[in-house]
Amino acid sequence: MSNAPVDHGRRRFLTIATSVVGGVGAVGAAVPFVASWMPSEKAKQAGAAVSADISKLEPGQLIRVEWRGKPVWIVKRPQAMLDELATHEDKLRDPASEVEQQPAYAQNRHRSKKPEIFVAVGICTHLGCSPTYIANDFAAQVEGVSSGFFCPCHGSKFDMAGRVFQSVPAPSNLQVPPYMFIDDNTIVIGEDEGTV
């Protein structure tokens, strides 16, 4: 060891300088790490709301749009379809939509904001298949019901409000995504008045 006197000023300077350089390095390493937690632009776009023009939607017609990589159905239900919803509630597993598969504003017999417009994620709640829309010959699946959705993979059946029938593999009603009407001709899926 050297017997030279200790320069406390220089030691303090080197300690402070080393601490500052180490702190800057730690921040520099942390910034990209924290930034990697943020969703990418592609991920933001995939989860973004989508709009659909329903001005040309005819009674009984179904159109599909994609939201978050899932098919979303929009059906314009004529009055006959709406009237039929009350006639078979004794055959449904969850007729009052008590299981949370929809926003609060869609927890009604029609499962929609406007009775004539039905919006649902077109994925069966059993194993994720996509049911088929049967507009006029659903009585072959459920006696006394003229329209509905049938999943041919495992036999799950849903009425025109997306409510699941009893004794089928699907455990719950079809999911209703959040949505809102911009005007009478435009619907936005993925947002509602509560999230804007």
PDB file of all heavy atoms in Angstrom, residues 57-65 71-77 81 118 120 122 131-135 148-149 160:
ATOM      1  N   LEU A  57     -78.758  -2.899 -45.310  1.00  0.00           N
ATOM      2  CA  LEU A  57     -79.114  -4.162 -44.664  1.00  0.00           C
ATOM      3  C   LEU A  57     -80.615  -4.402 -44.793  1.00  0.00           C
ATOM      4  O   LEU A  57     -81.428  -3.593 -44.351  1.00  0.00           O
ATOM      5  CB  LEU A  57     -78.689  -4.111 -43.192  1.00  0.00           C
ATOM      6  CG  LEU A  57     -78.626  -5.406 -42.410  1.00  0.00           C
ATOM      7  CD1 LEU A  57     -77.644  -6.387 -43.039  1.00  0.00           C
ATOM      8  CD2 LEU A  57     -78.202  -5.120 -40.974  1.00  0.00           C
ATOM      9  N   GLU A  58     -80.971  -5.508 -45.414  1.00  0.00           N
ATOM     10  CA  GLU A  58     -82.378  -5.856 -45.636  1.00  0.00           C
ATOM     11  C   GLU A  58     -82.906  -6.670 -44.458  1.00  0.00           C
ATOM     12  O   GLU A  58     -82.141  -7.347 -43.771  1.00  0.00           O
ATOM     13  CB  GLU A  58     -82.512  -6.687 -46.922  1.00  0.00           C
ATOM     14  CG  GLU A  58     -82.101  -5.959 -48.181  1.00  0.00           C
ATOM     15  CD  GLU A  58     -83.041  -4.837 -48.557  1.00  0.00           C
ATOM     16  OE1 GLU A  58     -84.256  -4.979 -48.321  1.00  0.00           O
ATOM     17  OE2 GLU A  58     -82.548  -3.811 -49.057  1.00  0.00           O
ATOM     18  N   PRO A  59     -84.222  -6.645 -44.209  1.00  0.00           N
ATOM     19  CA  PRO A  59     -84.794  -7.467 -43.137  1.00  0.00           C
ATOM     20  C   PRO A  59     -84.448  -8.949 -43.331  1.00  0.00           C
ATOM     21  O   PRO A  59     -84.603  -9.506 -44.418  1.00  0.00           O
ATOM     22  CB  PRO A  59     -86.295  -7.223 -43.264  1.00  0.00           C
ATOM     23  CG  PRO A  59     -86.395  -5.866 -43.879  1.00  0.00           C
ATOM     24  CD  PRO A  59     -85.237  -5.789 -44.834  1.00  0.00           C
ATOM     25  N   GLY A  60     -83.911  -9.562 -42.281  1.00  0.00           N
ATOM     26  CA  GLY A  60     -83.514 -10.963 -42.328  1.00  0.00           C
ATOM     27  C   GLY A  60     -82.096 -11.184 -42.823  1.00  0.00           C
ATOM     28  O   GLY A  60     -81.584 -12.298 -42.769  1.00  0.00           O
ATOM     29  N   GLN A  61     -81.427 -10.146 -43.282  1.00  0.00           N
ATOM     30  CA  GLN A  61     -80.073 -10.268 -43.822  1.00  0.00           C
ATOM     31  C   GLN A  61     -79.036 -10.182 -42.716  1.00  0.00           C
ATOM     32  O   GLN A  61     -79.189  -9.445 -41.746  1.00  0.00           O
ATOM     33  CB  GLN A  61     -79.819  -9.171 -44.852  1.00  0.00           C
ATOM     34  CG  GLN A  61     -78.465  -9.262 -45.523  1.00  0.00           C
ATOM     35  CD  GLN A  61     -78.204  -8.106 -46.481  1.00  0.00           C
ATOM     36  OE1 GLN A  61     -78.997  -7.193 -46.601  1.00  0.00           O
ATOM     37  NE2 GLN A  61     -77.066  -8.156 -47.156  1.00  0.00           N
ATOM     38  N   LEU A  62     -77.943 -10.940 -42.879  1.00  0.00           N
ATOM     39  CA  LEU A  62     -76.810 -10.934 -41.962  1.00  0.00           C
ATOM     40  C   LEU A  62     -75.579 -10.460 -42.709  1.00  0.00           C
ATOM     41  O   LEU A  62     -75.324 -10.906 -43.824  1.00  0.00           O
ATOM     42  CB  LEU A  62     -76.569 -12.348 -41.407  1.00  0.00           C
ATOM     43  CG  LEU A  62     -75.373 -12.533 -40.476  1.00  0.00           C
ATOM     44  CD1 LEU A  62     -75.718 -13.525 -39.381  1.00  0.00           C
ATOM     45  CD2 LEU A  62     -74.136 -13.017 -41.227  1.00  0.00           C
ATOM     46  N   ILE A  63     -74.832  -9.540 -42.108  1.00  0.00           N
ATOM     47  CA  ILE A  63     -73.525  -9.157 -42.643  1.00  0.00           C
ATOM     48  C   ILE A  63     -72.475  -9.467 -41.580  1.00  0.00           C
ATOM     49  O   ILE A  63     -72.782  -9.509 -40.391  1.00  0.00           O
ATOM     50  CB  ILE A  63     -73.448  -7.673 -43.072  1.00  0.00           C
ATOM     51  CG1 ILE A  63     -73.716  -6.730 -41.885  1.00  0.00           C
ATOM     52  CG2 ILE A  63     -74.373  -7.396 -44.233  1.00  0.00           C
ATOM     53  CD1 ILE A  63     -73.432  -5.260 -42.201  1.00  0.00           C
ATOM     54  N   ARG A  64     -71.245  -9.699 -42.057  1.00  0.00           N
ATOM     55  CA  ARG A  64     -70.144 -10.014 -41.149  1.00  0.00           C
ATOM     56  C   ARG A  64     -69.086  -8.933 -41.251  1.00  0.00           C
ATOM     57  O   ARG A  64     -68.744  -8.485 -42.342  1.00  0.00           O
ATOM     58  CB  ARG A  64     -69.506 -11.351 -41.524  1.00  0.00           C
ATOM     59  CG  ARG A  64     -70.357 -12.546 -41.244  1.00  0.00           C
ATOM     60  CD  ARG A  64     -69.724 -13.823 -41.807  1.00  0.00           C
ATOM     61  NE  ARG A  64     -70.568 -14.971 -41.613  1.00  0.00           N
ATOM     62  CZ  ARG A  64     -71.558 -15.317 -42.418  1.00  0.00           C
ATOM     63  NH1 ARG A  64     -71.826 -14.591 -43.483  1.00  0.00           N
ATOM     64  NH2 ARG A  64     -72.280 -16.379 -42.164  1.00  0.00           N
ATOM     65  N   VAL A  65     -68.540  -8.556 -40.093  1.00  0.00           N
ATOM     66  CA  VAL A  65     -67.371  -7.689 -40.040  1.00  0.00           C
ATOM     67  C   VAL A  65     -66.367  -8.367 -39.109  1.00  0.00           C
ATOM     68  O   VAL A  65     -66.732  -9.231 -38.327  1.00  0.00           O
ATOM     69  CB  VAL A  65     -67.713  -6.259 -39.541  1.00  0.00           C
ATOM     70  CG1 VAL A  65     -68.636  -5.557 -40.499  1.00  0.00           C
ATOM     71  CG2 VAL A  65     -68.300  -6.282 -38.152  1.00  0.00           C
ATOM     72  N   PRO A  71     -65.196 -12.953 -36.137  1.00  0.00           N
ATOM     73  CA  PRO A  71     -66.327 -12.524 -36.944  1.00  0.00           C
ATOM     74  C   PRO A  71     -67.420 -11.941 -36.054  1.00  0.00           C
ATOM     75  O   PRO A  71     -67.742 -12.496 -35.004  1.00  0.00           O
ATOM     76  CB  PRO A  71     -66.803 -13.829 -37.604  1.00  0.00           C
ATOM     77  CG  PRO A  71     -66.392 -14.894 -36.638  1.00  0.00           C
ATOM     78  CD  PRO A  71     -65.123 -14.399 -35.994  1.00  0.00           C
ATOM     79  N   VAL A  72     -67.953 -10.818 -36.463  1.00  0.00           N
ATOM     80  CA  VAL A  72     -69.085 -10.217 -35.748  1.00  0.00           C
ATOM     81  C   VAL A  72     -70.247 -10.152 -36.726  1.00  0.00           C
ATOM     82  O   VAL A  72     -70.099  -9.691 -37.849  1.00  0.00           O
ATOM     83  CB  VAL A  72     -68.729  -8.807 -35.218  1.00  0.00           C
ATOM     84  CG1 VAL A  72     -69.950  -8.139 -34.605  1.00  0.00           C
ATOM     85  CG2 VAL A  72     -67.619  -8.898 -34.185  1.00  0.00           C
ATOM     86  N   TRP A  73     -71.390 -10.655 -36.273  1.00  0.00           N
ATOM     87  CA  TRP A  73     -72.588 -10.663 -37.104  1.00  0.00           C
ATOM     88  C   TRP A  73     -73.448  -9.457 -36.791  1.00  0.00           C
ATOM     89  O   TRP A  73     -73.604  -9.082 -35.624  1.00  0.00           O
ATOM     90  CB  TRP A  73     -73.431 -11.897 -36.827  1.00  0.00           C
ATOM     91  CG  TRP A  73     -72.780 -13.202 -37.105  1.00  0.00           C
ATOM     92  CD1 TRP A  73     -71.805 -13.477 -38.015  1.00  0.00           C
ATOM     93  CD2 TRP A  73     -73.070 -14.441 -36.451  1.00  0.00           C
ATOM     94  NE1 TRP A  73     -71.473 -14.801 -37.972  1.00  0.00           N
ATOM     95  CE2 TRP A  73     -72.235 -15.421 -37.029  1.00  0.00           C
ATOM     96  CE3 TRP A  73     -73.940 -14.816 -35.443  1.00  0.00           C
ATOM     97  CZ2 TRP A  73     -72.266 -16.751 -36.637  1.00  0.00           C
ATOM     98  CZ3 TRP A  73     -73.980 -16.135 -35.052  1.00  0.00           C
ATOM     99  CH2 TRP A  73     -73.139 -17.096 -35.646  1.00  0.00           C
ATOM    100  N   ILE A  74     -74.025  -8.897 -37.820  1.00  0.00           N
ATOM    101  CA  ILE A  74     -75.039  -7.853 -37.671  1.00  0.00           C
ATOM    102  C   ILE A  74     -76.241  -8.321 -38.478  1.00  0.00           C
ATOM    103  O   ILE A  74     -76.134  -8.573 -39.680  1.00  0.00           O
ATOM    104  CB  ILE A  74     -74.538  -6.492 -38.195  1.00  0.00           C
ATOM    105  CG1 ILE A  74     -73.245  -6.092 -37.480  1.00  0.00           C
ATOM    106  CG2 ILE A  74     -75.615  -5.426 -38.014  1.00  0.00           C
ATOM    107  CD1 ILE A  74     -72.555  -4.873 -38.072  1.00  0.00           C
ATOM    108  N   VAL A  75     -77.365  -8.502 -37.806  1.00  0.00           N
ATOM    109  CA  VAL A  75     -78.573  -9.004 -38.445  1.00  0.00           C
ATOM    110  C   VAL A  75     -79.682  -7.977 -38.257  1.00  0.00           C
ATOM    111  O   VAL A  75     -79.893  -7.466 -37.154  1.00  0.00           O
ATOM    112  CB  VAL A  75     -79.043 -10.342 -37.831  1.00  0.00           C
ATOM    113  CG1 VAL A  75     -80.278 -10.872 -38.564  1.00  0.00           C
ATOM    114  CG2 VAL A  75     -77.935 -11.364 -37.836  1.00  0.00           C
ATOM    115  N   LYS A  76     -80.391  -7.704 -39.341  1.00  0.00           N
ATOM    116  CA  LYS A  76     -81.582  -6.858 -39.256  1.00  0.00           C
ATOM    117  C   LYS A  76     -82.777  -7.798 -39.111  1.00  0.00           C
ATOM    118  O   LYS A  76     -83.144  -8.513 -40.047  1.00  0.00           O
ATOM    119  CB  LYS A  76     -81.725  -5.973 -40.489  1.00  0.00           C
ATOM    120  CG  LYS A  76     -82.858  -4.978 -40.351  1.00  0.00           C
ATOM    121  CD  LYS A  76     -82.823  -3.951 -41.458  1.00  0.00           C
ATOM    122  CE  LYS A  76     -83.865  -2.876 -41.204  1.00  0.00           C
ATOM    123  NZ  LYS A  76     -83.800  -1.835 -42.236  1.00  0.00           N
ATOM    124  N   ARG A  77     -83.365  -7.811 -37.909  1.00  0.00           N
ATOM    125  CA  ARG A  77     -84.452  -8.730 -37.622  1.00  0.00           C
ATOM    126  C   ARG A  77     -85.798  -8.101 -37.970  1.00  0.00           C
ATOM    127  O   ARG A  77     -86.127  -7.034 -37.436  1.00  0.00           O
ATOM    128  CB  ARG A  77     -84.435  -9.136 -36.149  1.00  0.00           C
ATOM    129  CG  ARG A  77     -83.157  -9.851 -35.748  1.00  0.00           C
ATOM    130  CD  ARG A  77     -83.121 -10.210 -34.293  1.00  0.00           C
ATOM    131  NE  ARG A  77     -82.912  -9.029 -33.470  1.00  0.00           N
ATOM    132  CZ  ARG A  77     -82.526  -9.052 -32.194  1.00  0.00           C
ATOM    133  NH1 ARG A  77     -82.317 -10.206 -31.597  1.00  0.00           N
ATOM    134  NH2 ARG A  77     -82.357  -7.952 -31.518  1.00  0.00           N
ATOM    135  N   MET A  81     -89.411 -12.074 -36.577  1.00  0.00           N
ATOM    136  CA  MET A  81     -88.320 -12.652 -35.774  1.00  0.00           C
ATOM    137  C   MET A  81     -88.381 -12.133 -34.344  1.00  0.00           C
ATOM    138  O   MET A  81     -88.173 -12.890 -33.393  1.00  0.00           O
ATOM    139  CB  MET A  81     -86.964 -12.307 -36.383  1.00  0.00           C
ATOM    140  CG  MET A  81     -86.514 -13.167 -37.493  1.00  0.00           C
ATOM    141  SD  MET A  81     -84.817 -12.696 -37.964  1.00  0.00           S
ATOM    142  CE  MET A  81     -84.607 -13.701 -39.420  1.00  0.00           C
ATOM    143  N   PHE A 118     -79.426  -6.840 -34.406  1.00  0.00           N
ATOM    144  CA  PHE A 118     -78.748  -7.758 -33.493  1.00  0.00           C
ATOM    145  C   PHE A 118     -77.268  -7.817 -33.854  1.00  0.00           C
ATOM    146  O   PHE A 118     -76.911  -8.006 -35.016  1.00  0.00           O
ATOM    147  CB  PHE A 118     -79.363  -9.158 -33.584  1.00  0.00           C
ATOM    148  CG  PHE A 118     -78.663 -10.190 -32.750  1.00  0.00           C
ATOM    149  CD1 PHE A 118     -78.540 -10.019 -31.381  1.00  0.00           C
ATOM    150  CD2 PHE A 118     -78.135 -11.323 -33.324  1.00  0.00           C
ATOM    151  CE1 PHE A 118     -77.883 -10.973 -30.606  1.00  0.00           C
ATOM    152  CE2 PHE A 118     -77.486 -12.282 -32.562  1.00  0.00           C
ATOM    153  CZ  PHE A 118     -77.366 -12.099 -31.197  1.00  0.00           C
ATOM    154  N   ALA A 120     -73.615  -9.688 -32.639  1.00  0.00           N
ATOM    155  CA  ALA A 120     -73.032 -10.741 -31.797  1.00  0.00           C
ATOM    156  C   ALA A 120     -71.719 -11.212 -32.398  1.00  0.00           C
ATOM    157  O   ALA A 120     -71.519 -11.149 -33.613  1.00  0.00           O
ATOM    158  CB  ALA A 120     -73.989 -11.922 -31.665  1.00  0.00           C
ATOM    159  N   GLY A 122     -69.685 -13.992 -33.760  1.00  0.00           N
ATOM    160  CA  GLY A 122     -70.117 -15.226 -34.412  1.00  0.00           C
ATOM    161  C   GLY A 122     -69.268 -16.430 -34.094  1.00  0.00           C
ATOM    162  O   GLY A 122     -68.844 -17.150 -34.992  1.00  0.00           O
ATOM    163  N   PRO A 131     -71.051 -20.805 -35.921  1.00  0.00           N
ATOM    164  CA  PRO A 131     -72.362 -21.340 -36.298  1.00  0.00           C
ATOM    165  C   PRO A 131     -72.857 -20.780 -37.632  1.00  0.00           C
ATOM    166  O   PRO A 131     -72.392 -19.755 -38.112  1.00  0.00           O
ATOM    167  CB  PRO A 131     -73.273 -20.880 -35.148  1.00  0.00           C
ATOM    168  CG  PRO A 131     -72.356 -20.622 -34.009  1.00  0.00           C
ATOM    169  CD  PRO A 131     -71.084 -20.119 -34.639  1.00  0.00           C
ATOM    170  N   THR A 132     -73.804 -21.477 -38.211  1.00  0.00           N
ATOM    171  CA  THR A 132     -74.419 -21.106 -39.476  1.00  0.00           C
ATOM    172  C   THR A 132     -75.729 -20.382 -39.197  1.00  0.00           C
ATOM    173  O   THR A 132     -76.509 -20.800 -38.337  1.00  0.00           O
ATOM    174  CB  THR A 132     -74.698 -22.374 -40.312  1.00  0.00           C
ATOM    175  OG1 THR A 132     -73.468 -23.085 -40.487  1.00  0.00           O
ATOM    176  CG2 THR A 132     -75.288 -22.031 -41.659  1.00  0.00           C
ATOM    177  N   TYR A 133     -75.958 -19.315 -39.924  1.00  0.00           N
ATOM    178  CA  TYR A 133     -77.216 -18.568 -39.816  1.00  0.00           C
ATOM    179  C   TYR A 133     -78.262 -19.262 -40.676  1.00  0.00           C
ATOM    180  O   TYR A 133     -78.061 -19.463 -41.875  1.00  0.00           O
ATOM    181  CB  TYR A 133     -76.999 -17.133 -40.277  1.00  0.00           C
ATOM    182  CG  TYR A 133     -78.250 -16.294 -40.404  1.00  0.00           C
ATOM    183  CD1 TYR A 133     -79.187 -16.238 -39.385  1.00  0.00           C
ATOM    184  CD2 TYR A 133     -78.471 -15.548 -41.551  1.00  0.00           C
ATOM    185  CE1 TYR A 133     -80.322 -15.455 -39.507  1.00  0.00           C
ATOM    186  CE2 TYR A 133     -79.594 -14.746 -41.682  1.00  0.00           C
ATOM    187  CZ  TYR A 133     -80.523 -14.711 -40.648  1.00  0.00           C
ATOM    188  OH  TYR A 133     -81.647 -13.934 -40.764  1.00  0.00           O
ATOM    189  N   ILE A 134     -79.361 -19.654 -40.074  1.00  0.00           N
ATOM    190  CA  ILE A 134     -80.460 -20.283 -40.794  1.00  0.00           C
ATOM    191  C   ILE A 134     -81.656 -19.349 -40.679  1.00  0.00           C
ATOM    192  O   ILE A 134     -82.282 -19.242 -39.624  1.00  0.00           O
ATOM    193  CB  ILE A 134     -80.784 -21.683 -40.233  1.00  0.00           C
ATOM    194  CG1 ILE A 134     -79.537 -22.571 -40.318  1.00  0.00           C
ATOM    195  CG2 ILE A 134     -81.951 -22.309 -40.999  1.00  0.00           C
ATOM    196  CD1 ILE A 134     -79.679 -23.933 -39.687  1.00  0.00           C
ATOM    197  N   ALA A 135     -81.953 -18.663 -41.776  1.00  0.00           N
ATOM    198  CA  ALA A 135     -82.966 -17.607 -41.762  1.00  0.00           C
ATOM    199  C   ALA A 135     -84.394 -18.131 -41.802  1.00  0.00           C
ATOM    200  O   ALA A 135     -85.292 -17.518 -41.227  1.00  0.00           O
ATOM    201  CB  ALA A 135     -82.741 -16.651 -42.925  1.00  0.00           C
ATOM    202  N   GLY A 148     -82.611 -19.045 -36.664  1.00  0.00           N
ATOM    203  CA  GLY A 148     -81.630 -19.158 -35.591  1.00  0.00           C
ATOM    204  C   GLY A 148     -80.242 -19.441 -36.122  1.00  0.00           C
ATOM    205  O   GLY A 148     -79.978 -19.324 -37.327  1.00  0.00           O
ATOM    206  N   PHE A 149     -79.355 -19.815 -35.228  1.00  0.00           N
ATOM    207  CA  PHE A 149     -77.967 -20.117 -35.555  1.00  0.00           C
ATOM    208  C   PHE A 149     -77.675 -21.551 -35.114  1.00  0.00           C
ATOM    209  O   PHE A 149     -77.979 -21.929 -33.983  1.00  0.00           O
ATOM    210  CB  PHE A 149     -77.016 -19.158 -34.840  1.00  0.00           C
ATOM    211  CG  PHE A 149     -77.292 -17.710 -35.140  1.00  0.00           C
ATOM    212  CD1 PHE A 149     -78.017 -16.936 -34.250  1.00  0.00           C
ATOM    213  CD2 PHE A 149     -76.835 -17.124 -36.308  1.00  0.00           C
ATOM    214  CE1 PHE A 149     -78.285 -15.602 -34.507  1.00  0.00           C
ATOM    215  CE2 PHE A 149     -77.092 -15.788 -36.586  1.00  0.00           C
ATOM    216  CZ  PHE A 149     -77.817 -15.027 -35.689  1.00  0.00           C
ATOM    217  N   MET A 160     -82.550 -16.163 -32.397  1.00  0.00           N
ATOM    218  CA  MET A 160     -82.181 -14.932 -33.109  1.00  0.00           C
ATOM    219  C   MET A 160     -81.757 -13.796 -32.175  1.00  0.00           C
ATOM    220  O   MET A 160     -81.490 -12.695 -32.624  1.00  0.00           O
ATOM    221  CB  MET A 160     -83.323 -14.478 -34.015  1.00  0.00           C
ATOM    222  CG  MET A 160     -83.438 -15.304 -35.280  1.00  0.00           C
ATOM    223  SD  MET A 160     -81.905 -15.480 -36.223  1.00  0.00           S
ATOM    224  CE  MET A 160     -81.526 -13.788 -36.616  1.00  0.00           C
TER     225      MET A 160
END
